Amino acid sequence: MTTAAPRSILSIGATLGEGPVWVARDRALWFVDIKAHRIHCYDPAREVARSWTTPGQIGWILPTADSLFAVGLQSGVHRFNPADASFAALHAPEGHMPGNRQNDACVAPDGALWFGTMDDAEAQSSGYFYRFFADACKQVNLPAVSITNGPAFSPDGRIVYHTDTLGKRIWRADVAADGNVGEPVLFAQIEEGAGYPDGPTVDAEGCLWTGLFGGWAVRRYDPAGKLMREVRFPVANVTKIAFGGEELRTAYATTARKGLDVTALTNQPLAGDLFVFDPGVAGLPGQIATI
């Protein structure tokens, strides 16, 4: 089953567009370009975009309770103020691992900030997940992989989904009230030739969407891990979607030019753009990080 074809709404040519998040207070979509060291904000009502330069690779951006943002720089978690483009360090969980960087994140229903790290060379299994809540940042008891993506949470916050991108596996695990995670169970295995599972997002019906890097698509899986829908794109590297707009019924998708040679870029002139499509379902309201 497929939906209407996605269309480009912002020609930005991102090297590695990632981490889209709809921020209701701004009525805007925020996302990052990891390799270009950029934060982007797109206002769909006015069709206007703004950008900021970051001091290094940035994996994600999420809103905080003080009306600012938390961001995941390679050096650690920082607070970002768009008004003066300032960055204030909050925590460096992997200061002893300079080859790692942050890659993806989300806010759990309880306001805790969860994020993952990865080996920037995409070779060593040095990527871990962390939970940052009320000034305390702790490593989550999940196995290390080379490239983490996610996590994402079920609507009630009792299940966490996390991705081993190079292993082409999406896992699920129970989450206790204190943030401890149970034994991971395989949720979905991406078959050969279908690309690599990238950022996951959960909709209002509890189904999981994942971008497929190198797979020309995003997919929707039901809570049992059954493939329900695939939306094809005119570009190969689809990284992650976010639900936004009126009633959270618009899907925004970030894409990437990373890894594409001259021929591929010629055949994919929209690679790296921000896309939009009708997902046929609403998303979950965005959460605000309590840090």
Side-chain angles (χ1 to χ4, degrees), residues 191-259:
E191 70 274 17
E192 288 300 317
Y196 295 84
D198 208 309
T201 306
V202 175
D203 64 32
E205 296 180 356
C207 297
L208 182 138
W209 296 72
T210 183
L212 291 175
F213 198 96
W216 302 81
V218 297
R219 285 182 175 180
R220 184 187 190 221
Y221 290 86
D222 74 10
K226 178 183 177 182
L227 177 61
M228 300 179 68
R229 181 177 301 171
E230 182 172 274
V231 181
R232 303 295 294 176
F233 277 69
V235 297
N237 300 331
V238 188
T239 54
K240 189 173 183 177
I241 75 162
F243 294 91
E246 292 296 324
E247 301 181 346
L248 301 176
R249 298 191 70 90
T250 298
Y252 296 91
T254 47
T255 66
R257 295 165 63 91
K258 181 178 180 289

Side-chain angles (χ1 to χ4, degrees), residues 81-246:
N81 185 346
D84 60 8
S86 63
F87 296 84
L90 295 176
H91 190 73
E94 294 183 346
H96 60 295
M97 302 172 71
N100 265 21
R101 67 168 175 84
Q102 297 194 35
N103 193 51
D104 196 10
C106 75
V107 180
D110 64 358
L113 171 64
W114 292 59
F115 61 92
T117 63
M118 61 170 282
D119 175 21
D120 195 35
E122 304 180 10
Q124 303 299 317
S125 294
S126 59
Y128 294 91
F129 286 101
Y130 295 84
R131 180 178 185 264
F132 195 178
F133 185 69
D135 297 323
C137 187
K138 297 182 179 179
Q139 186 175 305
V140 179
N141 56 314
L142 292 171
V145 297
S146 178
I147 301 177
T148 63
N149 259 294
F153 287 84
S154 60
D156 62 8
R158 298 174 61 182
I159 296 172
V160 62
Y161 299 93
H162 52 99
T163 300
D164 170 9
T165 293
L166 289 188
K168 299 186 176 183
R169 292 183 289 264
I170 302 171
W171 300 85
R172 58 169 284 170
D174 295 333
V175 184
D178 60 3
N180 285 328
V181 175
E183 189 70 22
V185 175
L186 184 63
F187 175 75
Q189 175 79 55
I190 306 301
E191 70 274 17
E192 288 300 317
Y196 295 84
D198 208 309
T201 306
V202 175
D203 64 32
E205 296 180 356
C207 297
L208 182 138
W209 296 72
T210 183
L212 291 175
F213 198 96
W216 302 81
V218 297
R219 285 182 175 180
R220 184 187 190 221
Y221 290 86
D222 74 10
K226 178 183 177 182
L227 177 61
M228 300 179 68
R229 181 177 301 171
E230 182 172 274
V231 181
R232 303 295 294 176
F233 277 69
V235 297
N237 300 331
V238 188
T239 54
K240 189 173 183 177
I241 75 162
F243 294 91
E246 292 296 324

